[in-house]
Amino acid sequence: MDDLHRIHYVTGHYAHLQGLRLLPLSVPFLLAAVERMAGAPFVPTGVWAVIVVASLAAPSPIGRYYARRFGQARAPRWRSGMLTLFAACAAFLWFEWLQETLSPSVSLPLLFIAVLLARLGLAAGRLRSHYLWIAAAVAVFAVQPSAGVASGVRPVVGNLLIGGGLAIAAIGDDRVLRRALASRPQDSMRAA
């Protein structure tokens, strides 16, 4: 029964499990962290523009690779994730307003993101448990006091957290998808 639940989860979230589509998005953040650690910008502005455009355009051909390799599975309209995205954005903005109003020593918006990531990591019997590690890192970053930290350190850690989190999510989701589909005879969504 557990295997059936996982197959149902994978087919219902197939588009979200195409992890390699996230990998190019990590590049600008990791490069920004390296540049900040170097202490001086070494990537020209024009090259930054190309990197950002390429990282935003790259997921499309990667999606076509997944379609050729594994086939396609359309999620039901009600499971597109748009409602969740809008609700999460609204809640994030509310937590940001609360942060500005109350000025707590911890970052409420980041703690909210950590909770969302942990929930994702616990879904479907911890199928995507790599999100628990990302959630833990975000939570530590959220409660880390900014006082006493050198002014340049927090942005570096933030860029590393975003870039590294995207890379971990990308590789982890891709592995989940490949493992779920590789256990099937034809190694495709059609078999699942």
Side-chain angles (χ1 to χ4, degrees):
M1 186 64 163
D2 189 43
D3 195 37
L4 181 61
H5 180 63
R6 287 174 184 243
I7 290 171
H8 185 269
Y9 182 86
V10 168
T11 56
H13 296 86
Y14 175 65
H16 303 141
L17 289 169
Q18 296 177 9
L20 295 182
R21 296 176 89 169
L22 288 176
L23 203 52
L25 299 175
S26 69
V27 172
F29 294 101
L30 295 174
L31 189 56
V34 171
E35 199 172 60
R36 283 182 182 265
M37 285 189 287
F42 57 83
V43 178
T45 306
V47 174
W48 266 114
V50 170
I51 290 170
V52 169
V53 168
S55 69
L56 293 173
S60 182
I62 294 171
R64 287 193 296 273
Y65 158 76
Y66 276 108
R68 279 191 316 272
R69 176 74 170 102
F70 298 113
Q72 293 181 345
R74 300 270 184 232
R77 282 190 194 272
W78 58 271
R79 195 173 251 184
S80 70
M82 290 306 290
L83 180 61
T84 305
L85 178 65
F86 285 130
C89 288
F92 181 84
L93 292 174
W94 183 75
F95 278 112
E96 186 60 41
W97 174 81
L98 222 75
Q99 183 76 31
E100 295 295 321
T101 304
L102 302 176
S103 299
S105 61
V106 299
S107 173
L108 297 177
L110 285 179
L111 285 176
F112 172 69
I113 296 296
V115 168
L116 290 180
L117 290 168
R119 194 241 174 255
L120 189 57
L122 294 172
R126 295 187 180 186
L127 187 63
R128 298 166 88 178
S129 61
H130 50 283
Y131 280 96
L132 295 174
W133 292 103
I134 303 168
V138 170
V140 167
F141 188 70
V143 299
Q144 168 194 353
S146 56
V149 177
S151 64
V153 172
R154 195 156 170 87
V156 170
V157 174
N159 281 328
L160 286 173
L161 181 60
I162 295 169
L166 284 168
I168 290 168
I171 294 166
D173 282 351
D174 182 68
R175 290 186 66 199
V176 165
L177 184 64
R178 288 179 188 279
R179 263 191 254 134
L181 298 180
S183 64
R184 305 287 148 250
Q186 285 83 19
D187 192 28
S188 72
M189 285 305 297
R190 291 175 283 280

